[in-house]
């Protein structure tokens, strides 16, 4: 028992903390790719997060208050404040739970390690992994044109990238299963290198060495679009599990 208490002694208690979300994952799956919210407005909700841009023009990651656009060719650049997003999740990151990661650990094994760090599976967690990666495998959505196809069809065109021997940050959220459809259950994460020049939506990785930080979230602020497309969207598809797996895992 003394060993467990020693390990947990550096953790801060779970306190009220808000995670903000713009729109729903099921809306994105249904092809709602035009957003009302600007990046400037989104940054007012947090200094950390992920999402995508209008017309699925690349992946989004927010690190240290800067929003980056991760393009289909694997490059990254700071986003303009006037750009818009159809889906994003953001919070002000406070690392309340911190662990050194086991060396040379895969995403699958690290997922179990992260589960052991959490005080409860019933909260949301902002997740940040900083370190040196042996390999990071990513994919990035390609900008679409109207009429928009559903996302499970669009991701067939994704551009895949592999980054080897790279230092960087994996950022995202670990979401409880009861939020399925609102968000992505499990770990939804994006990568950007330390030079802030490349990255993408993470499919797999091997972490050589690094630090894992968790920020528990107890409150969800959800903003829904006021558009005709959203009002007509199918937000409860019967094949939701399959579509989530196709768009987020792609194995």
């Amino acid at each position: 028992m003394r060993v467990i208490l020693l390990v947990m002694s550096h953790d801060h208690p779970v306190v009220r903390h808000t995670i903000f979300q713009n729109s729903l994952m099921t809306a994105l799956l249904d092809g709602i790719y035009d957003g009302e919210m600007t990046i400037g407005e989104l940054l007012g909700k947090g200094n950390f997060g992920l999402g995508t841009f209008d017309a699925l023009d690349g992946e989004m990651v927010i690190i240290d208050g800067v929003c980056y656009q991760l393009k289909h060719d694997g490059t990254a650049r700071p986003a303009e404040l006037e750009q818009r997003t159809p889906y994003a999740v953001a919070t002000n990151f406070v690392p309340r739970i911190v662990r050194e990661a086991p060396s040379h650990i895969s995403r699958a094994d690290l997922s179990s390690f992260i589960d052991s760090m959490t005080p409860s599976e019933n909260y949301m967690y902002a997740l940040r992994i900083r370190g040196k990666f042996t390999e990071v495998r990513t994919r990035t959505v390609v900008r679409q044109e109207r009429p928009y196809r559903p996302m499970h069809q669009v991701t067939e065109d994704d551009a895949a990238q592999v980054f080897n021997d790279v230092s960087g940050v994996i950022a995202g959220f670990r979401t409880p299963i009861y939020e399925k459809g609102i968000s992505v259950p499990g770990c939804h994460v994006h990568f950007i290198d330390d030079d802030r020049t490349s990255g993408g939506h993470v499919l797999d990785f091997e972490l050589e060495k690094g630090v894992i930080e968790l920020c528990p979230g107890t409150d969800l602020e959800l903003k829904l679009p006021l558009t005709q497309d959203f009002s007509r969207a199918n937000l409860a598809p019967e094949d939701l599990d399959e579509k989530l797996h196709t768009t987020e895992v792609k194995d």
Side-chain angles (χ1 to χ4, degrees):
M1 180 64 69
R2 284 195 297 270
V3 174
I4 296 176
L5 290 175
L6 178 63
V7 172
M8 297 297 289
S9 63
H10 299 293
D11 296 344
H12 298 279
V14 175
V15 298
R16 287 287 173 196
H17 188 93
T18 299
I19 291 176
F20 170 82
Q21 183 169 315
N22 178 48
S23 193
L24 303 173
M25 188 62 198
T26 48
L28 205 62
L29 291 174
D30 202 51
I32 311 302
Y33 303 148
D34 293 329
E36 298 176 309
M37 191 171 204
T38 67
I39 301 306
E41 292 170 327
L42 179 64
L43 291 176
K45 297 295 186 178
N47 61 8
F48 176 93
L50 55 64
T52 188
F53 294 86
D54 268 355
L56 290 190
D57 190 13
E59 310 285 347
M60 174 198 299
V61 66
I62 303 171
I63 298 291
D64 298 329
V66 180
C67 180
Y68 296 93
Q69 184 175 13
L70 313 175
K71 300 288 285 184
H72 66 89
D73 60 358
T75 61
R77 68 172 186 85
E80 302 292 335
L81 296 181
E82 296 75 20
Q83 288 182 259
R84 294 181 179 269
T85 172
Y87 175 85
V89 189
T91 194
N92 286 309
F93 193 90
V94 181
R96 297 190 176 277
I97 303 170
V98 181
R99 297 284 188 279
E100 184 175 348
S103 60
H104 293 280
I105 189 168
S106 68
R107 175 176 182 166
D109 291 336
L110 191 61
S111 180
S112 299
F113 182 83
I114 292 170
D115 287 345
S116 73
M117 293 172 55
T118 63
S120 170
E121 64 181 14
N122 296 329
Y123 294 117
M124 303 165 285
Y125 296 90
L127 165 66
R128 184 170 65 190
I129 305 171
R130 297 177 295 151
K132 175 68 176 299
F133 296 85
T134 305
E135 180 182 87
V136 183
R137 304 181 70 85
T138 69
R139 60 85 170 155
T140 304
V141 288
V142 178
R143 181 181 176 86
Q144 301 297 300
E145 301 292 339
R146 282 185 172 274
Y148 295 137
R149 295 173 292 161
M151 194 174 182
H152 71 279
Q153 296 178 16
V154 167
T155 53
E156 295 175 358
D157 304 328
D158 284 358
Q161 303 288 336
V162 179
F163 304 101
N164 295 304
D165 297 320
V166 60
S167 295
V169 182
I170 284 179
F173 296 87
R174 180 189 181 279
T175 303
I177 191 66
Y178 61 74
E179 276 198 55
K180 180 171 62 175
I182 296 176
S183 189
V184 180
C187 286
H188 179 195
V189 289
H190 292 176
F191 170 77
I192 190 167
D193 68 353
D194 280 348
D195 292 334
R196 306 296 191 253
T197 58
S198 60
H201 172 100
V202 175
L203 296 176
D204 201 0
F205 62 82
E206 180 180 317
L207 177 62
E208 181 177 328
K209 59 180 179 179
V211 175
I212 305 167
E213 300 167 304
L214 295 177
C215 174
T218 59
D219 300 5
L220 178 63
E221 180 185 352
L222 182 61
K223 177 180 181 289
L224 299 180
L226 294 175
T227 64
Q228 290 187 354
D229 285 345
F230 181 83
S231 68
R232 294 193 297 261
N234 177 15
L235 302 180
E238 294 181 358
D239 57 349
L240 176 58
D241 287 343
E242 179 182 349
K243 288 180 176 178
L244 283 170
H245 186 85
T246 300
T247 58
E248 301 304 318
V249 181
K250 284 183 69 68
D251 59 3

